[in-house]
Amino acid sequence: MVLLAVQEWFRFGQQTIDFTHGAPKTEILGVQERDAPERINDYWKSVDRPALSGLDDAPWSAAFISWDIASAGVARDLFCPDARHTIYVERMAARARQPDAAFVPHHLDARAPQVGDILCASRAGGGTTLENLNRGPGHCDIVVEVRPREVHAIGGNVGDSVTRSVFPLDDHGFLTPISARTFFAVIENRLP
């Protein structure tokens, strides 16, 4: 998963947005969605929406995460791809009760992000929490690097590209709340 996310980030020109110093700042501008419709169409195919591409206004971030996890060879009984983040998070939460769960959602104060984990946020006033998986708008990114006081995560349809976002961590390695992303879960990746 991590290597595929990094590969796609390179394919899209390494767009990077820093969220660690107040307002998000784009440090590198990458390839935009309208310049890569065929690749974005590949993401949509992973969630059974083959008519969509980067030439429409449909948000494709969940399709990107679904494509990444499915392309990494994760079986559907461990992860169900979906066009909405909150749907696959809901399914992860339900499966987390099983002893062989591949993904386990945690509250922000219960798990410091690790490489391979998935960071999930509510979006546009969606109000999604682990206690209220309301299928509202959300966004998730795959953690690709953890440094002192910051975590780097790659997601799709961030600034209309595959983007590496840098988020702040506290002194103990936990996500620091920021107004630009209302995080509600760190999803532990238990796959080898």
Side-chain angles (χ1 to χ4, degrees):
M1 287 175 34
V2 171
L3 293 176
L4 284 171
V6 171
Q7 176 183 328
E8 291 303 290
W9 177 62
F10 272 96
R11 179 188 301 260
F12 275 79
Q14 302 174 29
Q15 181 161 296
T16 303
I17 300 177
D18 189 334
F19 290 81
T20 62
H21 304 296
K25 179 183 174 196
T26 301
E27 295 179 341
I28 298 171
L29 187 63
V31 174
Q32 299 298 285
E33 62 190 359
R34 297 210 177 271
D35 297 321
E38 296 86 9
R39 189 57 170 168
I40 294 170
N41 178 253
D42 291 338
Y43 306 151
W44 280 114
K45 288 176 185 174
S46 74
V47 294
D48 300 323
R49 302 262 181 99
L52 296 174
S53 70
L55 299 176
D56 47 53
D57 290 330
W60 49 273
S61 58
F64 171 78
I65 296 294
S66 293
W67 171 88
D68 181 278
I69 295 173
S71 295
V74 177
R76 280 187 169 261
D77 63 330
L78 299 177
F79 174 81
C80 289
D82 199 273
R84 289 193 298 178
H85 296 282
T86 51
I87 300 296
Y88 68 69
V89 172
E90 178 182 89
R91 292 173 183 157
M92 288 174 171
R95 288 183 174 150
R97 298 178 193 100
Q98 299 172 359
D100 60 343
F103 300 98
V104 178
H106 297 275
H107 289 100
L108 302 181
D109 61 355
R111 180 167 175 85
Q114 303 296 313
V115 171
D117 286 354
I118 301 169
L119 307 179
C120 294
S122 184
R123 195 174 51 144
T128 302
T129 66
L130 284 179
E131 291 73 36
N132 180 27
L133 292 170
N134 61 8
R135 298 186 176 203
H139 180 81
C140 297
D141 300 289
I142 297 170
V143 175
V144 296
E145 185 176 359
V146 178
R147 297 181 182 175
R149 302 199 55 84
E150 63 186 41
V151 59
H152 297 232
I154 293 176
N157 201 31
V158 178
D160 296 330
S161 189
V162 173
T163 301
R164 183 174 181 136
S165 298
V166 182
F167 300 112
L169 298 175
D170 67 17
D171 290 335
H172 304 287
F174 292 90
L175 276 170
T176 301
I178 57 173
S179 60
R181 275 292 166 85
T182 310
F183 290 108
F184 69 87
V186 175
I187 300 177
E188 176 185 359
N189 178 350
R190 292 185 172 176
L191 296 170

